[in-house]
Amino acid sequence: MKLKDTKIGHNNPPKELDDLINKDARVEINPTVMKLLKPTLDEAGEKYIERIINDTKVLGFKAKANPGGTRSYFFQYRPKGIDEEKTKEVRDKNPKARAIYLNPVKVHLGNYFEKRENRGVGTTPAIARKLAIEVRDAIKVGKDPFTIIANRRKAKTLGVIYNEFVKNRLMSAAYKPKTKRDMKSRKKIWVELNSNGFKQKQVRRTQPTPLSIANRKMVDLEKDDYVAYHNAVSLAGKYQANRCIEDLRLVEKYALEKGYIKKTVCHFKKRELNKEIKRMEVEDPYTVDELKRLRRALLKLAKMDPRSFSSCYGILADAFLGGRGKSEIFSLMWDQINMPKKEIRHYDTKNNEPMTRQFDVIGAAIFRIMLRVRFATNPRDPKYKYVFPTSKKKSKVKHITDPRKIFKKACKMANVKVKPLHMLRHTWATIAAEATEDIEAVRVMGGWKSINSLMIYLKFLKRRERAAIKKVDKFMRSHAN
């Protein structure tokens, strides 16, 4: 039986640097080569001397291993022109001697990082090569190459630029308060890495290098760095990772405008991000029968527990008015409501466009009941101006904000499945679409900007259409004879 040659085969790459160097004494400088690059012994074999390798892709780009074992990159070029002094000295001795050109100039590009976790301190081969190209191009147009290196050393890190973005752009009036809060929260957790959550701690322990992106100079970041960061955050939350990349896109755009970077690289196609499944794709909204049971449960709970009174009627308004609970219903103020005309005026909506919402008997009944609560409140109390005031005395926000606990209790009493509170808006839209069979009317009533957002509700119209076809088929078969 023949023994296999363990040194041959695509699964066994060369382990010596000399095996990778081509006939022109060049090699592509990459992480594998840098790991193999070591100083060599002198001819006497007594001490180590530096070893230099040349890159195949960029002429003049070199890497060297110093006698002490450290590795670095540099770009070497020979200035145009003749060294007049040396040429004169040589020709004084020999008039026929050739001219002596200026000595080559070395531009240090950075040290190679020894460990993965020290990547923010050292330089990768790809970044060093990119810097070598910048130096080469600067020399071609007559610029000083050393100014490029100096500017690179002064370059700001992602964390510093992110802080600058928050201060100068995020705090402007262009962004809504919720957007500001959410982005600051993501920055604290996934950029500053300041969180005590179990999941976050676990990801930080297992993915220290990708998450240290804030300590890296933004000009050195590549798309692979952002991809690794996205993958790391995805371990804690897929949707959260997508939001973090959206935030970094804004920061990168700001950095480009300020001149901190020359081009943006944080470009992700839809298929490169985590797929986001909409609620309506996972589960159906509540049926009319379930909504009736929920209504009875909420009314009963409001009587049983006075502290949940405002939350119960706020949830009812959310279900029967078709608004967005957090931004349009729970924070309603009395000066937005016109009872004689049965209209609600929304000024701050998700689409940043004012809109008027009509209501009828159910909405009017809810507001009349909440008026009793208002009349029993001191006009000097900040809660007086809100339709659904909070029952918490120490709360800074004087209206209800998150009645999910009350909603879960009502679902348990009504014997219906607990779904996200926003499902009430989907329920309203579904019932409105089935009742009117007019998607455009539903769009106007619900305050959607585009009719494309309502296409998901068409499947419920199809369901009603199938039921009608069955009735027609039954009628036709009954009269066939």
Side-chain angles (χ1 to χ4, degrees):
M1 182 178 176
K2 267 189 176 183
L3 292 174
K4 291 184 179 179
D5 188 351
T6 56
K7 295 183 180 179
I8 300 175
H10 66 277
N11 290 327
N12 295 283
K15 292 183 179 180
E16 297 294 331
L17 180 59
D18 293 332
D19 296 330
L20 298 173
I21 296 175
N22 62 20
K23 60 182 180 180
D24 297 322
R26 295 183 178 276
V27 63
E28 182 185 342
I29 298 175
N30 54 37
T32 303
V33 169
M34 290 303 293
K35 287 177 183 178
L36 296 174
L37 179 61
K38 296 175 183 178
T40 59
L41 287 168
D42 62 359
E43 292 180 357
E46 295 178 354
K47 62 178 182 178
Y48 284 100
I49 58 174
E50 68 177 23
R51 181 175 186 181
I52 297 175
I53 56 173
N54 299 298
D55 187 49
T56 54
K57 292 186 175 181
V58 179
L59 296 179
F61 175 44
K62 303 171 185 286
K64 71 172 181 176
N66 299 306
T70 59
R71 288 156 285 179
S72 59
Y73 316 93
F74 65 94
F75 181 79
Q76 182 174 297
Y77 71 99
R78 188 176 68 183
K80 291 182 178 180
I82 297 171
D83 192 327
E84 300 290 347
E85 292 182 3
K86 290 185 178 180
T87 302
K88 185 179 179 182
E89 289 178 6
V90 171
R91 285 182 176 174
D92 285 343
K93 297 178 181 179
N94 182 9
K96 295 182 179 180
R98 293 182 180 181
I100 297 176
Y101 292 97
L102 294 170
N103 291 328
V105 178
K106 292 182 181 180
V107 181
H108 179 70
L109 303 177
N111 297 323
Y112 175 68
F113 63 94
E114 298 294 334
K115 296 181 180 179
R116 190 74 182 171
E117 54 267 25
N118 295 334
R119 186 167 180 170
V121 179
T123 307
T124 64
I127 293 172
R129 184 180 289 105
K130 186 168 66 173
L131 189 53
I133 293 171
E134 287 184 30
V135 170
R136 181 194 65 188
D137 294 342
I139 293 168
K140 285 181 179 179
V141 296
K143 291 183 180 179
D144 182 9
F146 292 99
T147 57
I148 294 175
I149 305 300
N151 292 335
R152 180 63 69 105
R153 285 173 183 163
K154 293 177 184 177
K156 296 183 178 181
T157 62
L158 173 64
V160 172
I161 297 174
Y162 207 131
N163 289 333
E164 192 177 317
F165 169 80
V166 170
K167 182 180 177 181
N168 298 338
R169 293 288 173 87
L170 185 65
M171 301 315 294
S172 69
Y175 294 94
K176 291 189 173 184
K178 185 179 182 302
T179 303
K180 295 177 184 178
R181 287 195 304 271
D182 291 347
M183 191 169 180
K184 281 183 178 180
S185 176
R186 288 190 291 268
K187 176 178 176 289
K188 180 182 176 182
I189 297 171
W190 296 115
V191 178
E192 298 172 359
L193 304 180
N194 182 13
S195 172
N196 294 323
F198 175 75
K199 261 189 179 180
Q200 289 81 2
K201 281 184 176 180
Q202 197 174 25
V203 174
R204 287 205 301 267
R205 281 197 299 268
T206 58
Q207 304 289 326
T209 303
L211 292 178
S212 64
I213 193 171
N215 301 324
R216 304 270 306 280
K217 292 177 181 178
M218 197 166 191
V219 70
D220 290 339
L221 292 175
E222 300 174 325
K223 184 174 178 180
D224 290 343
D225 298 312
Y226 290 110
V227 170
Y229 175 79
H230 178 259
N231 293 340
V233 180
S234 296
L235 297 174
K238 292 184 177 181
Y239 298 173
Q240 186 84 336
N242 290 354
R243 300 292 88 76
C244 286
I245 290 298
E246 289 172 8
D247 296 343
L248 290 176
R249 282 176 184 168
L250 294 174
V251 174
E252 196 182 50
K253 185 179 178 182
Y254 171 81
L256 183 66
E257 290 175 7
K258 286 289 185 178
Y260 299 142
I261 57 176
K262 292 186 177 180
K263 64 176 183 178
T264 57
V265 294
C266 189
H267 301 294
F268 283 74
K269 295 179 181 178
K270 191 175 180 180
R271 57 183 172 81
E272 293 178 302
L273 295 170
N274 298 319
K275 185 179 179 181
E276 299 191 22
I277 302 173
K278 296 180 179 179
R279 291 189 185 98
M280 294 284 286
E281 294 175 357
V282 178
E283 55 186 355
D284 290 345
Y286 291 112
T287 63
V288 176
D289 180 60
E290 288 174 332
L291 191 61
K292 285 179 181 178
R293 281 186 279 159
L294 263 176
R295 174 178 170 272
R296 287 195 291 268
L298 286 165
L299 293 174
K300 186 178 179 180
L301 188 58
K303 290 180 180 179
M304 289 169 55
D305 183 9
R307 288 178 60 82
S308 65
F309 188 91
S310 184
S311 295
C312 288
Y313 279 93
I315 295 170
L316 283 172
D318 188 17
F320 289 96
L321 295 178
R324 297 176 180 88
K326 288 185 178 179
S327 60
E328 295 175 2
I329 303 298
F330 301 153
S331 58
L332 260 181
M333 301 172 75
W334 284 110
D335 59 4
Q336 293 178 243
I337 300 173
N338 187 328
M339 291 295 284
K341 291 184 178 180
K342 294 184 178 179
E343 290 179 351
I344 304 172
R345 184 72 176 173
H346 296 288
Y347 303 104
D348 184 19
T349 64
K350 183 180 178 181
N351 301 323
N352 290 321
E353 294 179 1
M355 65 164 289
T356 301
R357 173 173 277 108
Q358 307 288 335
F359 62 88
D360 207 349
V361 179
I362 297 177
I366 292 171
F367 294 139
R368 280 197 300 269
I369 292 169
M370 295 312 298
L371 273 172
R372 297 176 197 167
V373 177
R374 190 190 195 204
F375 294 149
T377 306
N378 189 336
R380 294 180 181 178
D381 192 329
K383 298 177 184 179
Y384 184 79
K385 61 183 179 181
Y386 291 106
V387 180
F388 305 106
T390 182
S391 59
K392 299 176 183 177
K393 294 181 180 179
K394 295 183 180 180
S395 176
K396 292 181 180 179
V397 181
K398 301 304 177 182
H399 58 80
I400 62 172
T401 54
D402 189 7
R404 283 181 291 181
K405 288 184 179 179
I406 305 298
F407 182 64
K408 287 179 182 179
K409 284 184 182 179
C411 289
K412 190 174 181 180
M413 290 173 62
N415 196 24
V416 299
K417 183 181 177 181
V418 179
K419 299 179 182 181
L421 195 57
H422 192 70
M423 189 61 73
L424 293 176
R425 177 168 164 83
H426 294 315
T427 301
W428 177 88
T430 303
I431 294 172
E434 287 188 292
T436 62
E437 297 185 4
D438 188 345
I439 290 293
E440 178 59 24
V442 176
R443 184 193 69 79
V444 174
M445 289 188 293
W448 279 277
K449 189 173 183 178
S450 171
I451 201 166
N452 294 332
S453 305
L454 298 169
M455 291 298 103
I456 196 166
Y457 301 117
L458 287 177
K459 68 177 184 179
F460 297 100
L461 294 181
K462 295 288 184 183
R463 187 171 61 188
R464 183 172 180 173
E465 182 182 337
R466 284 195 297 271
I469 289 173
K470 285 183 179 180
K471 289 181 181 179
V472 172
D473 185 63
K474 184 177 180 181
F475 179 83
M476 297 291 286
R477 283 188 283 105
S478 63
H479 291 77
N481 297 325

